[in-house]
Amino acid sequence: MLIKHTTEEGVNPVAKIMMAKKELDAKKSAYNSQMTDQQYEEQLSRIKKGELPNGEKVPTMTVIIRPLDTATYENMIAALDEMLICSIDKYVIDKIGPQDRELIEKAGVK
């Protein structure tokens, strides 16, 4: 869902950020001894903030993770792993509220 998210302007920010990270990873592999870990982390940080190497600026998002009472530790690890995979820079773990419960019940999720 995150990868396919498209903004009102028609931009797919997560996919663009993931592509830029993939290119950065390839660059680090190609220049293994020339790019330091610090340089890599600095460039990755800029990418995660929506500053792509080609000068393009894409919007970023903050993901709110609200696990149900039935969620397991494994579910949380999977959600956090997804944040890494999608190069999401900002995410928050929050409690589920009454409005969320209502939406979940309407969707038939248990």
Side-chain angles (χ1 to χ4, degrees):
M1 180 182 290
L2 293 172
I3 296 169
K4 294 179 181 178
H5 172 74
T6 303
T7 65
E8 292 175 359
E9 295 81 26
V11 178
N12 193 320
V14 175
K16 286 188 173 216
I17 288 171
M18 288 178 67
M19 182 59 72
K21 182 188 180 297
K22 185 177 179 179
E23 290 170 4
L24 177 64
D25 291 345
K27 185 177 173 183
K28 181 166 177 33
S29 294
Y31 302 105
N32 195 15
S33 61
Q34 295 179 3
M35 181 183 280
T36 66
D37 289 340
Q38 182 179 355
Q39 290 170 324
Y40 174 83
E41 290 299 327
E42 287 170 0
Q43 289 182 34
L44 180 59
S45 178
R46 285 194 298 273
I47 289 170
K48 285 182 172 185
K49 288 181 171 83
E51 300 169 17
L52 303 186
N54 63 4
E56 183 180 2
K57 178 86 170 137
V58 296
T60 59
M61 65 176 79
T62 300
V63 175
I64 302 172
I65 302 168
R66 292 186 175 134
L68 294 171
D69 297 336
T70 57
T72 64
Y73 181 75
E74 187 176 324
N75 297 141
M76 282 301 303
I77 296 300
L80 295 173
D81 191 38
E82 207 55 39
M83 298 301 102
L84 273 175
I85 291 167
C86 293
S87 298
I88 302 293
D89 191 41
K90 296 178 187 175
Y91 56 88
V92 178
I93 301 172
D94 196 10
K95 293 180 182 177
I96 192 163
Q99 291 175 332
D100 301 314
R101 287 192 192 282
E102 188 178 312
L103 288 171
I104 289 169
E105 287 174 9
K106 284 181 182 176
V109 177
K110 298 189 182 223

